[in-house]
Amino acid sequence: MSRSHDVRGLAAAMGPPLAAAVAGNAFIGRDSLRWFRQLRQPRLQLPMPAFGLVGATYYVQMGTVLYRAYLNRDSRVRHLALVVLAGNELWNVAFIGRRSPRNGFAGTLAFLVPLLALQRSVTSDRPSMIALTPYTLWVVAYDVPWSYRLWRLNPG
């Protein structure tokens, strides 16, 4: 594999997750985080550092899926991965940026559509499937019930 091919692969894998992380965090200031901390929290609420760890892991997982899509020349997987990255950042804006637990729950449900489509599209590529499955399970088993409870505890 040539050096320029390696650089393109790395850019294809890490560029979008890094851009998404920067863009998503640009909309979340200290006031928004303060607002979030003042919400009534569900019992299953994780500490803030755990959310950071999950977020960092997610970006690595998405980078892996994007790298594999690059290697496999799979434009469908790449497109869906980019939609998932954008959807995750839009969720941040809708929930924390707009300070709306209702938007957070609705956004989580809407986010399942591209995420599950991506999960389905990587079934033929074992490394991508292994990389993405923990995040998909996280969203289904934690994010959906957590965001629902957060909204019900903070309906206004």
Side-chain angles (χ1 to χ4, degrees), residues 106-148:
T108 302
L109 295 180
F111 180 69
L112 285 172
V113 174
L115 178 61
L116 293 174
L118 177 60
Q119 184 69 55
R120 185 169 181 218
S121 75
V122 300
T123 56
S124 63
D125 181 48
R126 187 167 171 78
S128 291
M129 188 179 69
I130 290 169
L132 186 61
T133 298
Y135 181 69
T136 302
L137 292 173
W138 169 267
V139 172
V140 170
Y142 180 81
D143 283 349
V144 170
W146 171 79
S147 63
Y148 175 77

Side-chain angles (χ1 to χ4, degrees), residues 2-56:
S2 73
R3 183 170 168 81
S4 65
H5 186 76
D6 290 345
V7 170
R8 282 193 302 266
L10 184 61
M14 295 314 300
L18 286 172
V22 169
N25 286 316
F27 295 105
I28 300 172
R30 287 186 184 151
D31 289 342
S32 295
L33 289 176
R34 191 173 312 117
W35 166 82
F36 176 75
R37 286 186 189 106
Q38 292 173 351
L39 293 174
R40 293 182 58 209
Q41 303 296 327
R43 276 184 275 150
L44 55 119
Q45 175 75 32
L46 293 175
M48 285 304 287
F51 279 114
L53 180 61
V54 169

